Amino acid sequence: MTCLKLFSGDLPELINEVIQYFHYDYKTLHSCILVNRLWCRLAIPLLWEDPFSFKVPKNYHFIEIYLYNLSDDDKTKLNEYATLNNLLPSNTLFNYHSFIQRLNTHTVYDFVRNWVTTVTTSTTEGNTDLTYTQMRDFTKLIYKSLFLVFIENEVNLYSFEVVFHSIYSIDELEYFDGIFELILRNLNFISNIKNFILDFDEATDTIQKFVRFLYSNCNSISSLYFLLPTYGNYPLIDEDLSQIVKSQKNLKKISFSNNNFPLYKSLLLLNNPDCSNTLSTIIFDGVDFYNIVVLSEVFNQLNVLESIHIIYCYSLDSKFFQQIDNVTKPFKLRTLFLYKFNKILEPLLQRTGIYLENLGIIDNESRQLQQLITKYCSNIKYLYPMWFDKENTYLLFNLIEDIKQNLNYISINYYYFESSNVLQNLGQVLPLKLEYLNLSFTINTNDLEVFLKNSQNVFIKKFLIRNSKRKESRDIFPYIKEYIMKNKRVKYLAIEESFDGKIEELFSQKDKVKEFELHGIRVQNYNDLFINIYKFIKETY
């Protein structure tokens, strides 16, 4: 089929398929734009669909390319704070703003704040005499100007994330007031969004007004995420959030994240005819089920529900299980992460274990847990995080051996303890191919060498090591070089080592990074490669 396309003149289509494969591999995409005009035209939209998400390197100058699209009057206002004439491009090759797909109010604010600091401290472009108030006003103006560019040019926004936390900045909510005014005058800006995230720590008047505006003007959301406050005007917010749920016509995924926010109305509204025939995924993250008594009623009405995820929730007691047991349809629990072993775990796994794919229990009773997982859970793909006391680490190896047919992600955390018992035996039981392996230990280099020798036939796409060093610890790098670099057993590598309160990343050692790259291994920042379980669930299901 590929050859037919090639000879029939479909080369651009084939190249596009290749470039799409590197969708989130920004380094490769940057290389693609240098090949020729066709490759550049295909790669640029992917690079510019969410530039505010770039973590490394922190390059804020793309903001200037967006500001190029402002009117002359708006540029004049900016020049009152800093001389931007030499910063803004004289022209652009693409309408870069048209490629934007995702916006997060907090990350935009964060980038703007850093860009303003960079510009105003420049001796050539900035005004280093700006007062605190002027800096604040300048930041607010840039923030609003960016949204003005996006709104006036009618970008086709796929995802909109409204994020406000007082711990970040007390200014953000005030800045959003100006953005809200722009949105009110341009209803199409969010009318067709598919992914919406509302993440806030206090129910303010602005939040309530925006939520009411949203459910009155947008019914296209397919993925809805509520990260809810622990205090505020609960009854009103609960009513408003439930109206968002009710107003959607094609809701496929919903997530609730909070430990004591009332979810009664929002859950009940999942019973409406639209949701009951479209909703396929529900995520509960940190939810307290103590006063939630409508689970049976809700789940019995959902006709196409394929995955349920419970991540570090509370009050998973007999009342909770009775509701689950009263669900007449298959209860497809795909994810279960608990802080500790729970007495309802056995009946819950007996009821749902066949569907379970992601499991982690931090504090557990080792022997019983291993027996339950082996008995009821044959489809585990993600084992994270798993702790067994030192006397029972053999149970960890037994567990991996029992479930390794589908096992693809493993995270083992013994960060403040010696690695001996685990590393001496882990290499023999690993599956031959892993997507992700994260090891947190106080590493003894002899044990590391044993592990690397025993796992020489294992390919690990993403390998993370977090080492809590001691004064007498030896350098682990020679062993990493000998068994990983030369054998090319890893695609992405991250190593973080700490000693005496200081943290050192392999990623920051440029000479070593280049050496790994020559062997086809990409070294990344540990936190960037680390899998956040909530994000993993959102992106996988």
Side-chain angles (χ1 to χ4, degrees), residues 107-295:
T107 56
V108 173
Y109 165 80
D110 198 39
F111 269 78
V112 167
R113 183 169 51 84
N114 284 285
W115 180 84
V116 167
T117 300
T118 301
V119 170
T120 55
T121 54
S122 168
T123 56
T124 57
E125 312 296 346
N127 182 351
T128 56
D129 295 327
L130 290 180
T131 65
Y132 170 79
T133 301
Q134 288 173 320
M135 287 281 286
R136 224 172 138 263
D137 291 343
F138 187 32
T139 304
K140 183 177 181 180
L141 183 56
I142 295 294
Y143 185 74
K144 186 174 181 179
S145 297
L146 285 176
F147 277 90
L148 182 64
V149 168
F150 299 136
I151 291 172
E152 288 189 342
N153 287 279
E154 300 180 349
V155 298
N156 186 22
L157 205 61
Y158 176 85
S159 178
F160 193 40
E161 303 177 16
V162 178
V163 181
F164 297 113
H165 288 268
S166 56
I167 191 174
Y168 295 147
S169 170
I170 60 175
D171 295 332
E172 282 190 72
L173 196 56
E174 178 189 335
Y175 293 1
F176 184 72
D177 288 342
I179 306 306
F180 188 32
E181 291 176 8
L182 291 175
I183 295 174
L184 283 175
R185 297 198 298 269
N186 299 270
L187 303 182
N188 291 335
F189 180 61
I190 61 169
S191 62
N192 295 312
I193 58 172
K194 300 296 185 289
N195 182 76
F196 178 66
I197 294 177
L198 183 61
D199 180 2
F200 60 103
D201 62 0
E202 184 176 359
T204 65
D205 289 341
T206 300
I207 290 293
Q208 287 182 256
K209 289 177 183 177
F210 178 77
V211 168
R212 290 168 187 170
F213 168 79
L214 184 74
Y215 68 68
S216 299
N217 294 279
C218 178
N219 62 7
S220 62
I221 298 172
S222 57
S223 299
L224 187 57
Y225 303 95
F226 293 141
L227 289 86
L228 306 170
T230 54
Y231 57 92
N233 197 343
Y234 283 148
L236 291 178
I237 286 292
D238 188 25
E239 177 66 35
D240 290 334
L241 297 185
S242 66
Q243 290 301 316
I244 294 182
V245 176
K246 184 179 180 181
S247 65
Q248 302 313 308
K249 303 302 181 184
N250 190 35
L251 188 61
K252 296 179 180 179
K253 184 186 298 186
I254 191 166
S255 172
F256 301 101
S257 181
N258 183 263
N259 62 356
N260 65 359
F261 193 92
L263 299 173
Y264 180 80
K265 289 184 178 180
S266 297
L267 280 172
L268 273 183
L269 282 170
L270 297 179
N271 285 338
N272 77 71
D274 288 323
C275 282
S276 62
N277 292 312
T278 62
L279 191 66
S280 61
T281 301
I282 299 180
I283 303 172
F284 297 104
D285 177 33
V287 169
D288 191 341
F289 287 103
Y290 181 73
N291 288 317
I292 298 178
V293 295
V294 295
L295 295 178

Side-chain angles (χ1 to χ4, degrees), residues 318-355:
S318 56
K319 280 175 52 181
F320 168 82
F321 177 73
Q322 191 58 54
Q323 293 184 76
I324 303 307
D325 205 35
N326 288 336
V327 177
T328 56
K329 298 180 178 180
F331 192 82
K332 297 181 179 180
L333 183 64
R334 306 292 185 186
T335 301
L336 180 63
F337 287 85
L338 303 175
Y339 287 113
K340 61 181 179 179
F341 191 93
N342 193 306
K343 65 181 180 181
I344 72 157
L345 190 59
E346 181 167 11
L348 185 61
L349 293 183
Q350 187 175 5
R351 175 81 160 78
T352 65
I354 191 173
Y355 304 108

Side-chain angles (χ1 to χ4, degrees), residues 447-459:
D447 300 330
L448 179 63
E449 184 175 22
V450 170
F451 167 73
L452 294 174
K453 282 183 177 179
N454 289 337
S455 59
Q456 286 188 80
N457 295 324
V458 179
F459 178 79

Side-chain angles (χ1 to χ4, degrees), residues 237-489:
I237 286 292
D238 188 25
E239 177 66 35
D240 290 334
L241 297 185
S242 66
Q243 290 301 316
I244 294 182
V245 176
K246 184 179 180 181
S247 65
Q248 302 313 308
K249 303 302 181 184
N250 190 35
L251 188 61
K252 296 179 180 179
K253 184 186 298 186
I254 191 166
S255 172
F256 301 101
S257 181
N258 183 263
N259 62 356
N260 65 359
F261 193 92
L263 299 173
Y264 180 80
K265 289 184 178 180
S266 297
L267 280 172
L268 273 183
L269 282 170
L270 297 179
N271 285 338
N272 77 71
D274 288 323
C275 282
S276 62
N277 292 312
T278 62
L279 191 66
S280 61
T281 301
I282 299 180
I283 303 172
F284 297 104
D285 177 33
V287 169
D288 191 341
F289 287 103
Y290 181 73
N291 288 317
I292 298 178
V293 295
V294 295
L295 295 178
S296 301
E297 181 180 351
V298 170
F299 286 116
N300 278 325
Q301 297 301 316
L302 298 176
N303 298 321
V304 295
L305 189 62
E306 284 297 317
S307 68
I308 303 156
H309 308 269
I310 296 175
I311 305 171
Y312 299 123
C313 291
Y314 303 91
S315 301
L316 299 177
D317 52 19
S318 56
K319 280 175 52 181
F320 168 82
F321 177 73
Q322 191 58 54
Q323 293 184 76
I324 303 307
D325 205 35
N326 288 336
V327 177
T328 56
K329 298 180 178 180
F331 192 82
K332 297 181 179 180
L333 183 64
R334 306 292 185 186
T335 301
L336 180 63
F337 287 85
L338 303 175
Y339 287 113
K340 61 181 179 179
F341 191 93
N342 193 306
K343 65 181 180 181
I344 72 157
L345 190 59
E346 181 167 11
L348 185 61
L349 293 183
Q350 187 175 5
R351 175 81 160 78
T352 65
I354 191 173
Y355 304 108
L356 201 61
E357 296 176 350
N358 313 297
L359 177 66
I361 302 175
I362 296 176
D363 181 13
N364 62 76
E365 298 175 14
S366 305
R367 186 179 299 277
Q368 188 178 0
L369 175 64
Q370 188 248 331
Q371 292 171 347
L372 292 178
I373 296 173
T374 301
K375 184 176 182 180
Y376 297 116
C377 309
S378 58
N379 296 303
I380 298 297
K381 298 177 182 177
Y382 195 148
L383 196 61
Y384 166 94
M386 197 56 61
W387 165 266
F388 290 86
D389 59 69
K390 287 194 283 188
E391 289 72 25
N392 291 303
T393 52
Y394 73 94
L395 293 172
L396 172 64
F397 313 131
N398 292 345
L399 177 58
I400 292 174
E401 188 70 55
D402 289 340
I403 65 174
K404 72 178 183 182
Q405 180 179 354
N406 296 300
L407 196 59
N408 212 5
Y409 300 81
I410 302 176
S411 181
I412 303 173
N413 187 352
Y414 286 80
Y415 188 54
Y416 296 106
F417 296 91
E418 285 283 0
S419 58
S420 298
N421 287 347
V422 176
L423 290 185
Q424 288 280 349
N425 298 280
L426 182 62
Q428 298 94 307
V429 298
L430 288 179
L432 292 179
K433 188 176 181 180
L434 279 172
E435 183 75 15
Y436 178 88
L437 178 63
N438 185 9
L439 303 177
S440 296
F441 296 111
T442 296
I443 291 178
N444 178 296
T445 52
N446 293 331
D447 300 330
L448 179 63
E449 184 175 22
V450 170
F451 167 73
L452 294 174
K453 282 183 177 179
N454 289 337
S455 59
Q456 286 188 80
N457 295 324
V458 179
F459 178 79
I460 305 167
K461 184 176 180 180
K462 300 177 182 178
F463 187 28
L464 296 80
I465 295 176
R466 193 162 172 253
N467 180 23
S468 176
K469 297 173 66 175
R470 292 180 178 167
K471 189 174 183 179
E472 66 277 10
S473 296
R474 287 187 289 159
D475 186 8
I476 68 171
F477 182 73
Y479 302 91
I480 299 296
K481 183 175 180 178
E482 177 67 26
Y483 295 100
I484 291 181
M485 181 190 292
K486 293 182 178 179
N487 293 340
K488 300 182 181 180
R489 297 165 42 202

